[in-house]
Amino acid sequence: MKNKILGFLLAIFAMFATTSCVERVDAGYEGIQFNLAGSEKGVDDVALVSGWVFYNPFTTGVYEYPTFAQTIDYNPFEINSKDGTKFTVDPSMIVKITDGKSPAIFKKYRKPLEEVINGSLYIYVKDAARVVFNKYSADSIVSHRELVDKSLDDYVRATFTREGFTLEQLTPGISYPKSYEDAINAKNKAIQEEMRVSNEVKVAEAEARKAEAEAKKRIVAAQAEAEANRLRTQTLTPQVLEKAWIDKWDGKLPVYGQVPTIFKDISK
């Protein structure tokens, strides 16, 4: 009797084990439950929350999609502007599945998320770049880089939203054609040369003004000296000279020969 009961329990357990399965959906993931058989074969409309999930592995499957933000760095590609000039786009982005959109994404693509991101989303980014760049000439792209970046961001963001993804950040990484790089470098060089010449001119003008000021100062000083000499000449009368001589005389007569005299007769 005991053997029969034990056998029955084992049979029940075996049946349960073969007709049910349990899986744990980790935090940061959404479990997608889909039917494998019957009239309802396909993906359920409801994404499973994190936690333990019990299901029948013969009739039901559970697939997990990560819902945390992922940083993607795509390979660069070339794109033409409206006038046919080639630009290089080297995009990188931060993207995540919009909460609750995992079932719809899985139902549409039936691929692992990595393949969806590196395949379909990459194509969407390329297509967005093609549409946006065809609206602008090369000069406009160079002159209005922020506007082009925003237009591309808006286009990609709208496309991703329709596909069940949230674009958190997009860096287009636009590189100019070599011809434009050369032109920009030449322009910068010309500006630098113009600034250098302008600075040299300013220095030369400053030195000229300084020299002119110094010359004026010397002229004024010379004029003042000449005026002072003129005034001194006017005041040197015989009386003044005689008084100056007397003030300087020490009371001794100069000696010419043996006899002291004030003035020497130089006519002899």
Side-chain angles (χ1 to χ4, degrees):
M1 184 65 180
K2 290 182 178 180
N3 290 335
K4 291 183 179 180
I5 294 175
L6 182 59
F8 178 76
L9 293 176
L10 289 174
I12 296 290
F13 178 78
M15 184 179 62
F16 178 80
T18 57
T19 59
S20 66
C21 189
V22 61
E23 184 171 340
R24 185 177 186 275
V25 180
D26 295 328
Y29 288 80
E30 284 185 343
I32 307 157
Q33 183 173 335
F34 56 96
N35 298 319
L36 298 174
S39 59
E40 296 182 357
K41 182 178 179 180
V43 180
D44 289 344
D45 294 332
V46 179
L48 302 179
V49 297
S50 299
W52 295 102
V53 180
F54 294 88
Y55 62 95
N56 185 338
F58 292 102
T59 60
T60 308
V62 174
Y63 200 92
E64 292 185 44
Y65 265 180
T67 57
F68 49 82
Q70 300 187 55
T71 300
I72 311 299
D73 188 6
Y74 287 129
N75 292 327
F77 57 87
E78 288 188 341
I79 206 75
N80 290 335
S81 62
K82 185 177 181 180
D83 52 8
T85 303
K86 288 186 178 299
F87 287 80
T88 299
V89 180
D90 187 7
S92 60
M93 67 180 185
I94 299 176
V95 66
K96 67 182 292 293
I97 292 178
T98 304
D99 293 343
K101 295 296 184 178
S102 296
I105 294 173
F106 183 76
K107 185 175 183 178
K108 180 174 182 178
Y109 297 103
R110 293 298 181 100
K111 296 178 180 179
L113 183 60
E114 182 178 359
E115 292 185 18
V116 176
I117 290 177
N118 292 323
S120 300
L121 296 193
Y122 187 33
I123 293 174
Y124 291 144
V125 172
K126 284 184 174 181
D127 185 63
R130 179 186 60 79
V131 172
V132 171
F133 274 63
N134 282 339
K135 294 180 179 179
Y136 300 94
S137 65
D139 289 340
S140 296
I141 294 173
V142 173
S143 303
H144 305 91
R145 173 66 181 274
E146 292 184 0
L147 177 61
V148 175
D149 286 354
K150 185 177 184 307
S151 297
L152 183 58
D153 185 284
D154 291 344
Y155 197 102
V156 173
R157 191 177 299 275
T159 303
F160 280 17
T161 298
R162 289 194 301 269
E163 296 300 313
F165 291 88
T166 299
L167 178 67
E168 296 191 352
Q169 181 178 323
L170 173 65
T171 303
I174 300 172
S175 298
Y176 303 138
K178 190 176 185 305
S179 58
Y180 272 84
E181 289 183 359
D182 294 341
I184 291 172
N185 292 334
K187 181 180 179 180
N188 292 336
K189 184 177 180 181
I191 292 174
Q192 292 174 357
E193 182 66 15
E194 182 180 354
M195 293 176 62
R196 184 187 67 78
V197 173
S198 177
N199 290 335
E200 290 180 353
V201 170
K202 290 179 180 179
V203 170
E205 290 176 347
E207 291 178 348
R209 288 193 295 269
K210 181 179 178 181
E212 183 180 359
E214 291 292 337
K216 288 182 179 179
K217 286 173 61 177
R218 288 195 293 272
I219 292 173
V220 171
Q223 291 175 343
E225 181 66 20
E227 181 65 16
N229 291 337
R230 186 182 67 79
L231 293 176
R232 283 195 292 270
T233 301
Q234 290 179 353
T235 58
L236 292 178
T237 61
Q239 293 79 6
V240 172
L241 293 174
E242 183 178 351
K243 183 177 183 304
W245 178 79
I246 294 172
D247 292 339
K248 296 286 186 177
W249 186 40
D250 58 2
K252 298 178 181 180
L253 294 175
V255 177
Y256 301 97
Q258 300 295 327
V259 182
T261 181
I262 295 178
F263 298 103
K264 179 182 179 180
D265 185 1
I266 61 174
S267 63
K268 294 181 180 181

